Amino acid sequence: MKIKQFFQMNTIKKRLYLIYVGLLFIPIILVGYYISVEIRSNQIDTKIEEIEQNTIRTTNDLIRTFELIIRVSDWIYQDERLAQIVGTQFQNIYDVVQTYENYSQFSDYIKYYPEIDYLRFYTDNPTLLSSVGFHPVTPAITSTAWYQDTIEKRGQIVWRMIEDPITREKNLNLTRSVFRNNQFIGVVTIAVSTDEINQMLANSGNSTFLTLDNNLIFNYTSPESPEEVSDYYRLLALEGDRIDLNHANSEEESIQGTGNQLTFTVQPVPLNKSLISHFEIVGTVPTISITREANRVLVTGYLIIGFVFLISLLILTRFIQHFNRRVLLLKESMTKVSHGDFDIPNNLTGNDEITDIYQELRTTMGSLQTLLEEGYQYEIDQKNWQLVKKDAEFKLLASQINPHFLYNTLEMIRMKALKNKDPEVAETVKILSKLMRKALERDREEMTLNEDLAFIEMYLQIQKLRLGERLTYRIHIQTTKEYMILPLLIQPIIENAFIHGVEKVSGPVRVSLEVLVLDRDIAIVIRDNGRGISADKLADLHALLKNEKEAKRIGISNVQQRIQHYYGVNYGLTISSEEGKGTEVTILLPQKMNEKGEQ
């Protein structure tokens, strides 16, 4: 029971402590957590960006080197003299040596391009000798899978790791079969300098791996990485389980990822004419090296936050103790006053708001009786005012014209017109009587669309009687369903069409009203061929419909406000017009079926 009472926030002291925890302690913890996450995220993002930039630089270096190798292969592929040498059947060794001395392209490539480690051109001409670049093919070479596959690719460039038959070392080679007039003449292999590749990977500054068709072929591990190369790359693959680490997309976009132990980026190495082989550069760094500095800063920050929290808690405790004593005294005095006991101390120690409240309490005691008397008098005056207001409303109601008297008068006029054989006047009075009756009956919140259109039909009939043959009108309804709409939405628009459009022209005029059924809405389109609206006035109307301008004409503004207030801001009026050609107004409303209709 005591524990339950302790946690009840029924004293200012407890609430002040709660406010302190809620407004200071919890926000500090949340802000500290947010800052720690942000700092860690920012450092990881910065390091990822650094890795990505280093990887892109290394990728560009590799692209330049590989593109050079590709160009050399193109030169060899197009070398007519080479094709002539390979196709010649030499009669003696002297002729072969003499030919080799006159053909120095292979030695020049190796001499001037340090990116090339060696170059081999394998041909099945038995009269040739093994020399710089030239190597008659042997059964051991022809039986290798890479040699056969290269011939099958028919001139396409393929990159492979091949063990050199002479040095017995594996090198990255460009392999390509060479044809002349659809005749096979040999296979060229150009070995990329391993030292060049290792130097480019080392210049990246991170642990970097070069893969060929998802196989690791070269690597550089930075000194800060204690793992062995094979274990390090295996760890990278495990960290990238949720990312397609080994399949960067073909649009030359890099992918990045951060795991528990590694942060990495994968950059494809796009090469012209290399459609079969795919290189990727993978740059990595241990995640712990990124977060180590962030963790040190965060620990220091949390220590400072804890110290500030303890100091502020001590200061708050002293303040609450002093404040609580004075609040309890104020509470005791107010309890006495509420029970009619005005025997309270004259003063309260301190010079803050609580003291002011205490003094106001004493002042309140002196004016309490006066306030009660004024309250009673106010209630009496309010009741008298209600009586006067009701009396005025009754007199106003009595002064209004009885609608039945008006209908009877119009019916009398119609009968006299018929008696005087004036059917046109009689018909006009009849329509006017129906129109006024409909207008006075439109006090419901909603009415059916058909009822409103019947009212519009009578209004147009009166306008037809007034304008004669000069006016033609048409009402077209796309559906037979009964929809519910607010009253007095269409009539102000029709009236505006006559006042501002139709009556401003002297020739024949047309007014049409069309009801369109949309997906979930209905559109009521009113058109006329009147004078139209100028561009400036049309802009003012659009601003008025968007509530960007104060309304001077309450008709359109009132219709727009009623629609949006009742149906929402997605509905309302749309006006389009061209001066001299007429105006079109669209009323967009939601489909709301009559309760007796379909749902």
Side-chain angles (χ1 to χ4, degrees):
M1 187 68 180
K2 292 183 178 180
I3 296 177
K4 183 178 180 181
Q5 291 179 350
F6 176 78
F7 284 102
Q8 289 180 351
M9 297 293 106
N10 54 1
T11 64
I12 294 179
K13 180 179 180 180
K14 292 180 180 179
R15 292 178 181 177
L16 287 175
Y17 278 117
L18 178 62
I19 291 173
Y20 171 77
V21 172
L23 296 182
L24 184 62
F25 180 73
I26 294 178
I28 287 176
I29 296 299
L30 294 177
V31 170
Y33 175 76
Y34 173 77
I35 292 175
S36 65
V37 172
E38 284 297 311
I39 290 177
R40 186 177 186 275
S41 177
N42 288 337
Q43 287 204 353
I44 291 175
D45 291 342
T46 301
K47 193 63 179 179
I48 288 178
E49 184 176 357
E50 178 185 339
I51 297 172
E52 184 178 12
Q53 293 302 320
N54 292 339
T55 306
I56 291 174
R57 186 176 63 250
T58 304
T59 300
N60 292 333
D61 293 340
L62 287 171
I63 289 175
R64 285 192 292 270
T65 298
F66 292 164
E67 292 289 352
L68 171 65
I69 304 298
I70 292 173
R71 285 199 303 272
V72 171
S73 74
D74 288 340
W75 296 336
I76 294 173
Y77 193 92
Q78 300 167 5
D79 194 338
E80 295 291 343
R81 189 176 177 191
L82 173 62
Q84 182 181 1
I85 294 173
V86 172
T88 301
Q89 296 294 320
F90 294 94
Q91 300 300 321
N92 53 68
I93 296 176
Y94 174 79
D95 292 339
V96 176
V97 173
Q98 190 68 28
T99 300
Y100 283 177
E101 289 180 355
N102 295 330
Y103 186 81
S104 61
Q105 273 78 351
F106 288 164
S107 59
D108 290 342
Y109 293 151
I110 298 174
K111 177 180 179 182
Y112 294 112
Y113 298 119
E115 295 86 352
I116 298 176
D117 200 352
Y118 58 82
L119 187 152
R120 307 273 191 264
F121 189 87
Y122 297 98
T123 178
D124 58 358
N125 187 343
T127 63
L128 293 177
L129 300 175
S130 294
S131 180
V132 177
F134 288 97
H135 290 270
V137 70
T138 62
I141 296 297
T142 58
S143 62
T144 59
W146 68 264
Y147 185 86
Q148 296 174 5
D149 183 64
T150 302
I151 295 176
E152 291 177 1
K153 293 297 188 294
R154 296 191 62 82
Q156 291 183 325
I157 293 174
V158 183
W159 298 84
R160 312 172 191 272
M161 292 297 293
I162 300 176
E163 180 181 297
D164 185 66
I166 299 175
T167 62
R168 297 301 177 183
E169 294 181 357
K170 278 195 173 184
N171 295 84
L172 176 62
N173 281 260
L174 178 151
T175 64
R176 188 175 187 181
S177 56
V178 180
F179 289 81
R180 184 68 71 241
N181 298 324
N182 291 326
Q183 294 295 323
F184 172 74
I185 64 173
V187 172
V188 62
T189 64
I190 305 175
V192 186
S193 173
T194 301
D195 293 337
E196 289 284 333
I197 295 178
N198 288 331
Q199 184 61 42
M200 284 185 280
L201 297 182
N203 291 337
S204 67
N206 307 309
S207 295
T208 307
F209 306 96
L210 176 62
T211 65
L212 172 60
D213 298 329
N214 302 328
N215 296 312
L216 178 64
I217 57 174
F218 289 96
N219 64 80
Y220 168 77
T221 305
S222 63
E224 64 180 356
S225 303
E227 295 87 358
E228 294 294 333
V229 172
S230 59
D231 293 337
Y232 202 63
Y233 190 72
R234 178 185 56 78
L235 180 61
L236 174 65
L238 293 176
E239 296 286 6
D241 280 343
R242 288 183 293 178
I243 299 179
D244 194 5
L245 177 64
N246 294 324
H247 295 87
N249 59 45
S250 60
E251 285 78 10
E252 304 181 10
E253 295 180 359
S254 62
I255 58 174
Q256 297 84 29
T258 298
N260 295 327
Q261 301 185 54
L262 288 180
T263 296
F264 57 85
T265 180
V266 181
Q267 182 74 34
V269 184
L271 298 175
N272 294 325
K273 301 183 180 180
S274 292
L275 304 179
I276 299 176
S277 305
H278 301 283
F279 291 96
E280 287 180 344
I281 289 288
V282 182
T284 67
V285 68
T287 302
I288 189 172
S289 67
I290 301 175
T291 59
R292 185 183 298 116
E293 180 63 21
N295 293 336
R296 185 188 66 80
V297 174
L298 292 176
V299 170
T300 303
Y302 277 123
L303 290 176
I304 296 174
I305 290 173
F307 177 76
V308 173
F309 175 74
L310 290 177
I311 296 298
S312 62
L313 182 61
L314 293 176
I315 296 174
L316 179 66
T317 301
R318 293 294 301 273
F319 168 77
I320 289 177
Q321 290 176 352
H322 177 68
F323 178 81
N324 193 52
R325 286 195 299 268
R326 299 170 69 238
V327 169
L328 291 177
L329 179 58
L330 176 61
K331 176 184 177 183
E332 182 182 352
S333 299
M334 294 181 69
T335 302
K336 288 184 177 181
V337 172
S338 66
H339 290 85
D341 184 4
F342 299 139
D343 185 16
I344 61 175
N346 293 330
N347 296 307
L348 184 67
T349 59
N351 56 356
D352 55 10
E353 289 83 354
I354 296 180
T355 304
D356 295 339
I357 293 174
Y358 192 82
Q359 295 301 324
E360 290 295 331
L361 176 63
R362 294 189 59 83
T363 303
T364 302
M365 290 187 307
S367 58
L368 183 59
Q369 187 63 36
T370 303
L371 182 62
L372 292 174
E373 293 176 356
E374 291 178 352
Y376 293 146
Q377 186 63 39
Y378 175 77
E379 291 182 1
I380 294 173
D381 293 341
Q382 284 292 105
K383 291 181 179 180
N384 291 334
W385 163 249
Q386 294 293 334
L387 292 175
V388 172
K389 183 179 178 183
K390 290 293 184 182
D391 183 64
E393 291 177 352
F394 177 77
K395 291 179 179 179
L396 178 62
L397 181 62
S399 65
Q400 293 179 347
I401 298 176
N402 191 330
H404 294 286
F405 171 75
L406 183 59
Y407 301 150
N408 293 335
T409 302
L410 289 173
E411 181 64 18
M412 180 188 67
I413 295 172
R414 188 179 75 86
M415 295 302 296
K416 284 189 176 183
L418 290 173
K419 186 176 180 181
N420 294 333
K421 297 182 179 181
D422 194 344
E424 185 176 353
V425 173
E427 183 65 19
T428 303
V429 173
K430 179 181 178 181
I431 295 174
L432 178 60
S433 178
K434 289 182 179 180
L435 188 67
M436 294 186 67
R437 185 182 296 273
K438 288 290 184 181
L440 292 172
E441 290 176 354
R442 305 178 95 191
D443 56 353
R444 291 173 292 171
E445 182 178 359
E446 288 184 319
M447 64 188 306
T448 66
L449 176 61
N450 290 332
E451 289 177 333
D452 206 13
L453 292 178
F455 177 78
I456 297 301
E457 174 78 20
M458 288 186 289
Y459 180 84
L460 290 172
Q461 287 177 359
I462 292 178
Q463 292 289 356
K464 175 70 174 178
L465 292 171
R466 186 171 66 89
L467 298 177
E469 296 300 324
R470 195 165 72 88
L471 171 66
T472 57
Y473 68 86
R474 174 177 175 267
I475 298 178
H476 176 69
I477 308 175
Q478 198 182 63
T479 179
T480 59
K481 296 181 180 179
E482 288 192 357
Y483 296 104
M484 302 299 294
I485 66 170
L486 291 174
L488 291 175
L489 295 183
I490 306 175
Q491 193 273 337
I493 308 302
I494 295 289
E495 185 175 353
N496 274 349
F498 280 93
I499 295 174
H500 302 290
V502 170
E503 295 180 357
K504 302 296 183 179
V505 296
S506 58
V509 289
R510 298 186 306 277
V511 176
S512 67
L513 187 150
E514 186 175 7
V515 178
L516 304 176
V517 179
L518 308 179
D519 186 18
R520 296 183 178 179
D521 305 321
I522 58 173
I524 304 170
V525 184
I526 299 136
R527 302 183 182 93
D528 68 77
N529 66 336
R531 185 177 64 176
I533 305 173
S534 64
D536 294 340
K537 291 184 179 180
L538 187 61
D540 291 340
L541 285 176
H542 289 164
L544 177 65
L545 295 179
K546 294 179 181 178
N547 294 322
E548 297 175 354
K549 188 175 181 180
E550 185 177 356
K552 294 182 179 179
R553 300 175 180 176
I554 62 173
I556 291 179
S557 176
N558 184 25
V559 171
Q560 178 78 342
Q561 290 178 3
R562 289 176 61 214
I563 291 175
Q564 293 191 344
H565 176 74
Y566 195 80
Y567 298 116
V569 295
N570 294 328
Y571 298 95
L573 301 180
T574 303
I575 302 176
S576 61
S577 180
E578 186 174 350
E579 192 169 9
K581 294 186 177 180
T583 303
E584 178 179 300
V585 180
T586 301
I587 306 174
L588 184 65
L589 303 174
Q591 293 183 12
K592 185 175 182 182
M593 305 300 296
N594 190 1
E595 293 181 356
K596 297 181 180 180
E598 301 178 9
Q599 298 295 326

